[in-house]
Structures are given as C-alpha cells and as structure tokens.
Amino acid sequence: MQSIIDILKENDIAPSMQRIKILEYLKNYKTHPTADMIYQALADEIPTLSKTTVYNTLKTFTEKGILMALYLFSNEVHYEYNTQPHIHFQCTKCNKIYDLYQSFDHYNNDLIDGHKITEYHINLKGICKNCLEKGK
Amino acid sequence: MQSIIDILKENDIAPSMQRIKILEYLKNYKTHPTADMIYQALADEIPTLSKTTVYNTLKTFTEKGILMALYLFSNEVHYEYNTQPHIHFQCTKCNKIYDLYQSFDHYNNDLIDGHKITEYHINLKGICKNCLEKGK
DNA sequence: TCCATTTTTATAATGGTTACAAATAAGTAA
DNA sequence: TTACTTATTTGTAACCATTATAAAAATGGA
C-alpha cells in the first residue's frame, strides 16, 4: 500500500504539509471535489491555507497525472484521484457525481479519422437512484 | 427543409432578428463556438447586439433542446446545433473541436445502477490529424 | 549559519457568465 | 390608430472560478 508521501516523491514533488493533506483528501474522500470544496474542507486543519495553494497544487498534480480534472456539466472543475477506468454520472437534481463501472468503450491510443486519442471522458447526466426514489 | 423561423416557432420562441441570426450562425457554421465567438461573429451585422442577448438566447435554445451545451476541456461553454448523435474530439495543440461519427456506446434512457440517464457526452482529447502531420 | 531555491501566501487582476433595471420592440384590445 | 401590456434587448454592474504577481515563509545544502 503506497503512502501519500511515496506518491509525491515518485512524481518528483516535494511532500509539503499542504500537498500531503490535499492529496490525502482526494484519495480518501472520492467525492470529486472542486478547488473550493477542498479549500473549505482543509481550512480548519490548516488555518493559514491559501486558495492559491490549492489551485497550484491541483495544477501540479494534474500535470503529473496524479489527478484527473473533470469537466462535467458546469464551468467549475472537479478533481479526482486516478484509479481504475470508469465513467461519470451527475444527477441534475442533487448534483452528486457518481462513478460508474459499467462496461464502456475505451479509446486510449486509438487513431480515429487520423486523430491520436490520448484521453477520453464519458459523462452521463440524469436523475440518480436516490432522487428517483424520493418520488417527484 | 426546415427554416430557422420554423424551428423557433415550433419551440414557442418568438423569431426575433437576434434569435434568427444566432441560430442561423450555429446551424450554418458547425464550429462549436462559445458565446463570445458568436458575439464577435455577429457584432458587425448587428451593431447594437449585446453579449447578454447572446447568453440569454443560448440559454433559451439549450433549455428547449435546440442546442447542446458542450463542456469540454476548459471552463468556457461551447454550443452546437443538435444533429445526429456523435462524439467530440478536441486537439490539445490547436484546440480545434472535431465531430466524430465513429460507432460508440449509446446510453440514452438507460438505467445504470438505478440511475436514469437522460443525456451523455463522450469527449476525446489528443492530437489531431492536422497537427500530427505538421510534425512535432 | 548563510544563502539559494522552493513553497506558500495575500492581493489584485482576469475572464466567462449572470443579475438587474432601463430602454426598446412587439402584440393586443378598444 | 391609440393606449396599454408584455416580451425582448441592451448596458452596467456584480459574481465567481481561476490565474498572475510579488512578497513572506519554509526548506535544503554548503
């Protein structure tokens, strides 16, 4: 089991306290948070935390491939710790984001119409089980 | 062949000049423009055009299902006139957006893990044919 | 310890989008 | 047509996520 610090070192990122806490948060709580959500969640624990640090850190992690940036159905970016391939579903009622592990088409390294594919996202939208059951 | 005005009327939208021009632009130039691109493109023809009108109109059209809002790999929204199902590919070098008509999984009205799917987007990212050929 | 480099921070700036309220255009009844 | 109501457009300001910038703090090596 790989520690947070190991993950950072493997990616040539100095394991500062802020970076550790941010990655830890994303690895433990798979809630696809935005930068602001992460900031809010950690502000108590790290009172001096700056939102700029959160943005910088997320940018670094994403560039290194540690995190995936999700562009769903709004103009704020959600982040997730990279695990096995899956697709995303967002509920239009409660806005919750779900990971789905249904079988789906994979496009990695495909060449389509001559274009080289390096990354792909499958984003679904609808009403989640929970909201369906609540009636209405 | 359905006219722009007919499309608007069918959707209970009064066919004002601004609305006609905006829909016409999206129907004719399938370039997946942003609100600002549309504004820039029409500003000469409609000198009094306001950016707010463009935003309002795009919102109306999207709510009626005439347009599709695309959330690709940035936080600006791109729009397209709804045609046959297809998927999107954006080049990371030139940022151009391509429509791909490859076969792909369809999810409409599926029920996955109890969630009702009403809309889905497949977004690919990579290097387009054109940029590949330019070498490097 | 001293110094150079990295990291964090606060502040201001940017850019896409929305809120708001006034101005204009359109639609309807008399 | 007029008078009046409603719909649409417009300009301005506000909003909110994100980025730029430069100073402050922390870190690491000689």
Side-chain angles (χ1 to χ4, degrees):
Chain A
M1 172 66 182
Q2 206 179 23
S3 77
I4 301 289
I5 292 176
D6 289 343
I7 296 171
L8 294 174
K9 284 182 177 166
E10 271 175 25
N11 285 280
D12 298 313
I13 301 170
S16 71
M17 194 254 280
Q18 288 82 343
R19 286 166 175 169
I20 291 169
K21 293 290 182 193
I22 290 171
L23 184 52
E24 195 173 57
Y25 183 82
L26 278 147
K27 198 159 174 281
N28 290 343
Y29 305 100
K30 301 187 164 297
T31 52
H32 316 85
T34 61
D36 188 64
M37 289 170 181
I38 296 168
Y39 173 78
Q40 300 299 335
L42 298 180
D44 283 343
E45 202 176 348
I46 313 169
T48 63
L49 184 63
S50 159
K51 210 173 264 191
T52 303
T53 300
V54 177
Y55 277 105
N56 289 341
T57 303
L58 291 172
K59 190 180 180 201
T60 303
F61 289 178
T62 303
E63 283 167 357
K64 295 284 189 175
I66 299 174
L67 297 182
M68 185 66 77
L70 306 181
Y71 298 88
L72 297 175
F73 304 101
S74 78
N75 27 16
E76 50 190 350
V77 187
H78 294 258
Y79 291 88
E80 73 176 357
Y81 178 72
N82 257 346
T83 53
Q84 31 182 335
H86 60 274
I87 65 185
H88 292 106
F89 168 80
Q90 184 161 31
C91 178
T92 54
K93 296 240 180 224
C94 66
N95 288 318
K96 192 175 168 193
I97 298 164
Y98 295 82
D99 291 329
L100 301 184
Y101 294 93
Q102 285 286 312
S103 81
F104 57 91
D105 284 337
H106 293 261
Y107 297 92
N108 245 336
N109 300 315
D110 278 13
L111 203 65
I112 302 181
D113 292 1
H115 311 308
K116 177 141 199 67
I117 314 301
T118 59
E119 192 179 317
Y120 62 97
H121 295 263
I122 300 177
N123 301 327
L124 315 186
K125 193 172 164 181
I127 302 174
C128 76
K129 188 178 181 179
N130 206 20
C131 287
L132 283 173
E133 283 167 358
K134 274 188 202 150
K136 160 108 243 90
Chain B
M1 174 64 184
Q2 206 179 21
S3 78
I4 300 289
I5 292 177
D6 288 344
I7 296 170
L8 294 174
K9 284 183 178 168
E10 270 174 26
N11 286 279
D12 297 314
I13 300 169
S16 71
M17 194 253 280
Q18 288 83 343
R19 287 167 175 166
I20 292 169
K21 294 290 182 193
I22 290 171
L23 184 52
E24 195 173 58
Y25 183 82
L26 279 147
K27 199 160 176 280
N28 291 343
Y29 305 101
K30 302 185 164 299
T31 51
H32 316 86
T34 61
D36 188 65
M37 289 171 181
I38 296 168
Y39 173 78
Q40 299 300 335
L42 298 181
D44 283 344
E45 202 177 347
I46 312 170
T48 64
L49 184 63
S50 159
K51 212 174 259 191
T52 302
T53 299
V54 176
Y55 278 104
N56 289 342
T57 303
L58 291 172
K59 190 180 180 204
T60 303
F61 288 179
T62 304
E63 282 167 358
K64 295 285 187 173
I66 301 175
L67 297 182
M68 185 66 78
L70 305 181
Y71 297 88
L72 297 175
F73 304 101
S74 79
N75 26 16
E76 51 190 349
V77 187
H78 295 257
Y79 292 88
E80 72 176 359
Y81 178 72
N82 256 346
T83 52
Q84 32 184 335
H86 60 274
I87 66 186
H88 292 105
F89 168 81
Q90 184 163 31
C91 178
T92 55
K93 296 245 179 216
C94 67
N95 288 318
K96 192 176 169 193
I97 299 164
Y98 294 83
D99 290 329
L100 302 183
Y101 292 92
Q102 284 285 313
S103 82
F104 59 91
D105 283 338
H106 293 258
Y107 297 91
N108 245 335
N109 299 315
D110 278 14
L111 203 67
I112 301 181
D113 291 2
H115 311 308
K116 177 141 198 67
I117 313 301
T118 58
E119 192 179 316
Y120 62 97
H121 294 263
I122 300 177
N123 301 328
L124 315 184
K125 193 172 160 179
I127 302 173
C128 76
K129 188 178 182 181
N130 206 20
C131 288
L132 283 172
E133 283 167 358
K134 276 189 200 146
K136 162 108 249 88

